[in-house]
Amino acid sequence: MWKKEWPKHSVLAIAIIATWLKTYLTYKTSFSITIDNVLQEFILFINPLSMLLFVYGIALFFKSEKARNRYILAIALISSIILYANVAFYRFFSDFITLPVLFQTDNFGDLGSSASESVFITDLVYFTDVILILLAMKFIRIIPASNLNLAVQRKAYFIISAAVLFFNLGLAEMERPQLLTRGFDREMLVKNIGMYNYHLYDMYVQSKSQAQRALANGSELVEVNNYIRANQPDPSKDMFGAAEGRNLIVVTLESLQSFTINGEMGGKPITPFLSELTKDEDTIYFPNFYHQTGLGKTSDSEFLVENSLYPLSGGAVFFTHSGNTFNSMAESLGNKGYHTSVQHANTKSFWNRDIMYQSLGIDQFFDIESYTIGEGDAVNWGMKDIPFMEQSVEHMADLPQPFYTRLLTLTNHHPFYLDEEDKLIDEFDSNSGTVNRYFQTARYLDESVKVLFEELKEQGLYENSVIVMYGDHYGISENHNEAMAQYLGKEITPYESAQLQKVPFFVHIPGFGEGYVDEEIGGQIDIRPTVMHLLGVDSEQDIQFGGDLFSEEHEEFVAFRDGRFITDKHVYAGNVCYDIETGIETDKAACEPSIEPAMTELEYSESIINGDLLRFYDEKNGQLILSEDELKKLDKEQQRLKEDTQN
């Protein structure tokens, strides 16, 4: 075969075909992309081709074979790196990389252990096209050809490239109308326009978001404000102010999912203390509570808790918009005389916290430098949770009261490694080491919460505090569904996957005496108004999308950052509507009334963040801060709308 003479552009053709097929096979083997019909499969198959035809085709403009080959090899290597980076990222985050993530370099060092868990020697297979191209360049003999009609050949080639692109987009639009308006659904974008085109689209979206702030003038906030005022439930008369004047201690339960509460491993409880707390007379426990984070994971949960705004569809607000104006819970409580702080035994720059906390109005940040890490107290991400709890309570004892402090735990973090002396239960037995180890670190986290309560009592802080605890995000990603199916004893369908996004939410009020399990469906977006009303702080004028979970008017509706949602009757996931009680697929029409509100809230929240719109809002009186010209323009618009309504 090597002695045979090949046409002039054979290396180019081999490069295109090899990278195309490798990309498609990677789609099928490395990503959990749902395919519902033959058309979707065909779109998935052809979608890498248009971009590959274009970028590889630029080689046709190089005159020398040597320069042409170098360019082809460079493109093969770059495309392989992009593809493989998404594979490694997907293994942990179950999502595709966005542009802001690439600039979160401050986190890379701390993410080392999690990243190493997602990299294997067999991953060299993702560079097979590079190897094939090298072999072709070395051994294929090219037939000498004249350069006659080269311009015509190039023109025809790029016309074909454009035709493939428009053919792909046409099929995608037919399969998924208004696809490019649903940028939060990255799997849908990759499935329809391809990995490489998705990254170009992502660059466009991120550039657009940066321009949004520069062009924003505050008038965009009018529609958002009207929507929020119309949908904001009144506080519960019974619970408003039930913990007024008390210290507020909010505990982030790292990666803890609700299936661990009242769950067992090898006949032993996974979370004995937290499970018992669900029955405590001073505790209100919400079993139908969901995390709503995106790529920002823990930082997104912090953002939700502080602001009752949704996180961004790509990247983490803590990085991309840390200079924005926010109306955080910390700022509101600070205005009521609370000393505000966060305690987290990790480096202060991780997730850009040292900068973002200033924007959130947090008075003090106890980072890793505030802790003494003794022998055996270190964990890969900083400090083990038990000594962290002990020293954090010591910090609290020195704080002026009333105080609001948030504690971020660490030990129950991927890849879930634990020292032998800290293993209080056995591992699970499955083909996933990640899942197997998870139960042990979750058990250790539970023990640390028990220590927290004991230390608060010992320091005399317990009785005058309210302790709020919530899971920040999932610990077990969808890539481990097979092992989770083994533990749960049932198949992980899109419905079950949505149910696995439940995280614990506890409100513990010492002396309350009327504890109960509240079946209300809610999410992290609801924490801010729920907690503030519990402390007797009115949030009526605030821009927030959540509602008080204790309110009789609270709407049971949880929107996920990827467009899925939960109501009291249905689960919408994977573009399929399920009955929430049975998990059986039902008519999509049953979910349609909630699809638009879910998208509206996500889009409104995104516009607030990207436009930094809260700089145009005075939360003290609920008034927009606009220029005189903008106010006149707004008055005219409102008058016109009023006249249209009357007519």
Side-chain angles (χ1 to χ4, degrees), residues 285-328:
Y285 174 62
F286 294 83
N288 297 313
F289 186 85
Y290 297 81
H291 86 85
Q292 295 169 283
T293 63
L295 292 176
K297 289 301 187 70
T298 302
S299 73
D300 277 355
S301 78
E302 293 184 75
F303 181 74
L304 279 151
V305 168
E306 288 291 344
N307 301 286
S308 193
L309 299 175
Y310 294 95
L312 290 171
S313 58
V317 183
F318 270 44
F319 271 100
T320 58
H321 294 80
S322 61
N324 275 19
T325 297
F326 297 106
N327 177 24
S328 68

Side-chain angles (χ1 to χ4, degrees), residues 313-549:
S313 58
V317 183
F318 270 44
F319 271 100
T320 58
H321 294 80
S322 61
N324 275 19
T325 297
F326 297 106
N327 177 24
S328 68
M329 181 162 68
E331 181 184 341
S332 294
L333 292 179
N335 291 336
K336 295 295 182 180
Y338 276 74
H339 178 277
T340 60
S341 64
V342 175
Q343 305 191 56
H344 185 39
N346 199 348
T347 55
K348 64 180 181 181
S349 62
F350 193 56
W351 285 121
N352 202 37
R353 287 188 172 101
D354 54 339
I355 305 300
M356 185 62 169
Y357 286 169
Q358 294 179 35
S359 296
L360 295 177
I362 292 168
D363 298 326
Q364 194 170 3
F365 180 18
F366 296 94
D367 70 337
I368 197 167
E369 299 298 325
S370 304
Y371 292 84
T372 302
I373 302 180
E375 185 176 352
D377 289 346
V379 72
N380 191 48
W381 287 72
M383 188 181 194
K384 291 179 181 177
D385 290 343
I386 290 177
F388 167 71
M389 293 297 193
E390 293 170 341
Q391 293 186 36
S392 293
V393 176
E394 290 176 8
H395 293 155
M396 291 183 217
D398 294 330
L399 294 177
Q401 298 189 45
F403 61 74
Y404 159 40
T405 189
R406 271 198 294 110
L407 280 62
L408 279 71
T409 58
L410 275 170
T411 308
N412 191 40
H413 196 290
H414 184 273
F416 311 115
Y417 285 116
L418 203 60
D419 292 336
E420 285 298 323
E421 64 268 21
D422 298 319
K423 296 178 180 178
L424 304 175
I425 56 174
D426 294 331
E427 285 190 3
F428 183 51
D429 182 21
S430 75
N431 62 356
S432 168
T434 297
V435 174
N436 296 346
R437 296 186 298 271
Y438 175 79
F439 295 93
Q440 294 181 322
T441 52
R443 174 67 184 87
Y444 179 87
L445 170 58
D446 177 80
E447 194 69 16
S448 76
V449 176
K450 179 182 177 182
V451 170
L452 170 66
F453 276 60
E454 292 171 347
E455 292 294 316
L456 287 171
K457 291 174 182 177
E458 188 174 321
Q459 290 284 358
L461 294 170
Y462 176 75
E463 295 294 338
N464 192 40
S465 298
V466 54
I467 305 165
V468 175
M469 299 182 288
Y470 72 97
D472 58 350
H473 54 76
Y474 65 80
I476 307 299
S477 72
E478 294 178 0
N479 293 307
H480 302 283
N481 278 353
E482 184 180 338
M484 280 304 300
Q486 181 181 331
Y487 173 74
L488 296 172
K490 54 186 173 183
E491 180 187 359
I492 308 299
T493 62
Y495 166 83
E496 292 294 345
S497 181
Q499 294 303 301
L500 282 171
Q501 307 315 305
K502 287 182 181 178
V503 294
F505 182 53
F506 295 85
V507 177
H508 182 76
I509 312 169
F512 180 60
E514 300 176 21
Y516 60 97
V517 174
D518 194 327
E519 299 290 343
E520 187 81 3
I521 293 172
Q524 292 168 333
I525 201 87
D526 299 315
I527 293 178
R528 182 187 191 274
T530 302
V531 171
M532 287 182 62
H533 292 170
L534 191 64
L535 296 175
V537 180
D538 185 17
S539 65
E540 183 182 5
Q541 303 291 352
D542 295 348
I543 299 290
Q544 56 185 1
F545 289 97
D548 186 340
L549 287 168

Side-chain angles (χ1 to χ4, degrees), residues 2 51 80 102 115 125 180 190 198 224 241-242 284 296 355 364 465 489 645:
W2 302 118
M51 176 56 68
S80 295
L102 297 178
V125 71
L180 297 182
V190 171
Y198 153 70
V224 180
I284 304 162
I355 305 300
Q364 194 170 3
S465 298
T645 303

